[in-house]
Amino acid sequence: MGDRVRLELELEQLSQQIRYHEAAYRAGVPEITDGAFDDLVDRYQELAEELGIEPSERLDVQPGQDHTAGFETVEHRVPMLSLEKLSPNRRDSGGEPMALSDQLSAWFRRRRKELEVEELPIIVEPKVDGISVSLLYADGVLRRAVTRGDGRKGDVITKQVNQLGTVPTKLKRAGKGEMEIRGELYWPLTEFARFNATLEKPLINPRNGCAGMMKRKDPEGLEKSGIRAFFYQVAWDDGAKLPPTQRETLQWLADRGAEVYLSEVFQTVSEEDALQYCEDYQARRGALNYDIDGMVIKIDDLGLYARLGATGHHPHWGIAYKFPPERKPTQLLDIEVSVGKSGKLTPVAILEPVFVSGTTVSRASLHNFVELERKDVRVGDIVLVEKAGEIIPQVVEVDTSKRKRGAKRFVAPDACPTCGTEVVSEEIFVYCPNPTCPDQVRERLRHFASRGAMDIDGMGEVLVDQVVDKIGVRSPDELFRLDVDALAALDRMGQKSAERVKAGLEAAKERGLGRVLNGLAIRHVGETMAEDLAAYFKTADALLDFAARYVAEDKDAVETVAPAKSAERGAIEGLARKSADSIFHELDSPAVRKVFSGLADVGVSLSVRAADVREVADVAGKTFVLTGTLPTLKRTEATRRIKVAGGKVSGSVSKKTDYVVAGDDPGSKHDKAQSLGVEIIDEAALLDLLGDAE
Ligand code: AMP
Ligand code: ZN
């Protein structure tokens, strides 16, 4: 497999993982830490950059959005940022992998240069894997507790924190005035195990458990959990006399009755020693009564922090060291082939259950048959398993020294294991081309009902499986025809849940064309493409007419979305010729047309939602390029607002660009715009153009 193909594959896997974890975040049941999520996003951006994928074609990710419905939100006076990471994936400007020690030296070199000093005091602390919390104390009394949220604003969890009984509601020796203290809520492992043993359905791990508990609307009983908090920072204060170093701040906090991890910190002036401490700490990790996911290396002089500053993403006073993921050997019992929603066949490793990074793993994706062949994984082999991004299990390699004689190479199937249809290959993937294949039907319906697509309240995977198996539902429109009685008769349902599902179905009818298109699981149509198609064509009729013309090779139609001159851009940003062929052929197929007419019959809205387009005269039809960090808008938000207003966002500057929106540290795009004479505007001017359009 070529390098590029491998990277593209990794990018696809990353985007699936990011989508999955975003949905989990939004649902209030995150499975990985904010940091692990940011790592996935960082790696995605890094790869996308490397592969030359334009920003407008990348995933729209808004990391760390953990707002939970029903919680009051407040803005943080000082944002709660992420931390920069030492990363095993980082490469230098020549493309060579960079050792962690070199990354750390480079980081310190920059800091010393900024500060014009020869040496910096360093403190190393454990990076506690819990939930960040910001605590406002007034005259020493706890007034408010807020989660990190998206870093700018978080959810108010004062009642919940107060109920714990472990976080001081009053600080000792407190003076007058207000101050905000930052810390990490965490669930001690022994307390977690004790609490978990009392539950019918055990929690996956202490971190998720803690996140879920702190977002309980009714705080009653939280004091029985044993959840506690470490304090480690004073974010701002009203002139309290604070000590000059981080180390002394921890002591100062301890003196006020807060819990701190003073016994675990290490002070030095040597970068090598700091890194060594991080590496050695792994051995001590298992003896702690709380989870940590790495270490934080900080400059131990708070007086320098204001001068060091921050980016919108992380402060410059510290950098995180992440522990390498745990790897465990286990036996591969079997290789199963699963059929996905678009017919893709994926080999799955069935493993002798093994405990890795906090959960028991018994299945792992083997991604595709090319990858499988490259790794030469065979049934019966001893394989090494690790969790990528701390959650998705992967087979990393085979221990061929332990291979039994006679173990056979795995051969990719030439027929679908479910329906027996002969498979087709497209690039490195293998598909079952039969749209009525039972596994595909089931996966498509699951996807259609899911949160990212039609978001049908109450219609989870278990229920979808039941309506497929017991009622015989085969296509999305049939979901809307289900009646309450039929639903109520299913396992673990009842009149009330059936009515809720029915109401969920009614509500889903109004989600609009973009969500419908995403829900149909058409190959190459993800969330962004679905919304872009909807915004451009406005109605399903217009889209299907166009698809028919495209398939009939109507020149105008083809030129509209896939101009022959490669320098020109089609009407839909990021739609390449090959995907266009595939998308419009599939849309024009009898199977998809039937689904659309079925959906129209049951009253599902097949037009773009009014809220999704609010054309603004100065923006509609114009092409924008974003560069640098904008002062207030995240790039994803700026992109969204431009698109909603009818504009386009492109990744590179050309003569066709109408505006380059430049923020801080603009890149080469700024220079190119100048040389081409393209108008350069700032965020304020962009906001003016957008008017008050949301
Ligand atoms: P990340 O989310 O991985 O970018 O890391 C930033 C988060 O790490 C902060 O929001 C804190 O909640 C958390 N954290 C845990 N331990 C520490 C520590 N010792 N110092 C600073 N931040 C910490
Ligand atoms: Zn099949």
Side-chain angles (χ1 to χ4, degrees), residues 162-179:
N162 266 322
Q163 187 76 24
L164 290 175
T166 50
V167 175
T169 48
K170 253 197 184 132
L171 296 179
K172 290 188 228 157
R173 299 165 55 186
K176 287 276 163 220
E178 295 192 335
M179 70 172 75

Side-chain angles (χ1 to χ4, degrees), residues 279-535:
E279 280 161 8
D280 293 346
Y281 202 89
Q282 272 224 76
R284 289 189 25 206
R285 189 182 176 188
L288 299 174
N289 195 20
Y290 47 92
D291 279 337
I292 62 175
D293 61 346
M295 307 295 285
V296 189
I297 301 169
K298 301 179 180 176
I299 293 173
D300 197 15
D301 182 346
L302 305 181
L304 301 173
Y305 283 20
R307 276 164 67 201
L308 283 163
T311 69
H313 175 265
H314 55 254
H316 282 152
W317 47 249
I319 187 161
Y321 167 93
K322 311 270 288 190
F323 293 124
E326 191 182 8
R327 275 186 188 187
K328 288 264 187 78
T330 190
Q331 190 174 33
L332 183 94
L333 302 176
D334 197 6
I335 296 175
E336 262 179 30
V337 176
S338 74
V339 185
K341 62 185 191 297
S342 57
K344 191 188 283 174
L345 303 192
T346 306
V348 180
I350 308 301
L351 304 162
E352 177 66 37
V354 58
F355 194 75
V356 191
S357 306
T359 57
T360 302
V361 172
S362 54
R363 293 168 73 87
S365 168
L366 292 164
H367 307 306
N368 61 70
F369 299 102
V370 178
E371 177 77 359
L372 178 60
E373 195 176 315
R374 185 178 69 82
K375 287 197 181 127
D376 188 17
V377 182
R378 304 184 189 188
V379 173
D381 279 350
I382 299 298
V383 294
L384 285 179
V385 177
E386 78 173 38
K387 286 212 228 147
E390 288 174 20
I391 193 78
I392 317 258
Q394 311 257 8
V395 170
V396 196
E397 61 180 324
V398 179
D399 184 348
T400 42
S401 71
K402 301 222 171 77
R403 177 168 285 163
K404 295 220 179 65
R405 267 206 289 155
K408 288 202 193 64
R409 266 187 174 274
F410 187 82
V411 185
D414 38 23
C416 169
T418 309
C419 70
T421 310
E422 197 180 319
V423 302
V424 293
S425 300
E426 191 182 296
E427 294 177 347
I428 57 170
F429 299 110
V430 174
Y431 294 88
C432 161
N434 169 16
T436 62
C437 172
D439 271 353
Q440 280 189 55
V441 167
R442 174 190 313 273
E443 291 297 328
R444 273 203 302 272
L445 287 171
R446 282 177 169 192
H447 171 71
F448 185 79
S450 72
R451 207 174 291 274
M454 294 295 270
D455 195 8
I456 303 174
D457 190 29
M459 178 82 64
E461 296 196 346
V462 180
L463 185 59
V464 171
D465 289 356
Q466 284 203 67
V467 302
V468 170
D469 297 336
K470 301 201 173 130
I471 306 183
V473 167
R474 291 290 174 268
S475 71
D477 52 303
E478 290 168 38
L479 289 176
F480 296 94
R481 295 206 168 87
L482 289 167
D483 59 44
V484 173
D485 290 346
L487 285 165
L490 296 169
D491 291 348
R492 285 192 280 149
M493 289 292 282
Q495 191 65 23
K496 247 189 149 166
S497 339
E499 275 163 15
R500 176 171 153 226
V501 172
K502 194 69 194 165
L505 282 161
E506 282 310 309
K509 287 182 178 173
E510 301 307 323
R511 300 263 189 267
L513 181 60
R515 297 287 205 103
V516 172
L517 279 171
N518 179 17
L520 296 183
I522 290 164
R523 224 178 284 170
H524 305 295
V525 180
E527 201 172 311
T528 310
M529 183 55 65
E531 293 300 341
D532 287 354
L533 287 169

Side-chain angles (χ1 to χ4, degrees), residues 35 82-83 85 125-128 132 148 184 232 261 298:
S82 216
L83 284 165
K85 316 267 158 29
E125 303 177 358
K127 186 164 185 299
V128 182
S132 338
R148 175 163 157 194
E184 198 81 0
Y232 59 76
Y261 37 60
K298 301 179 180 176

Side-chain angles (χ1 to χ4, degrees), residues 662-676:
D664 286 347
D665 296 332
S668 59
K669 292 174 195 164
H670 181 270
D671 304 341
K672 184 150 183 214
Q674 264 177 340
S675 70
L676 289 175

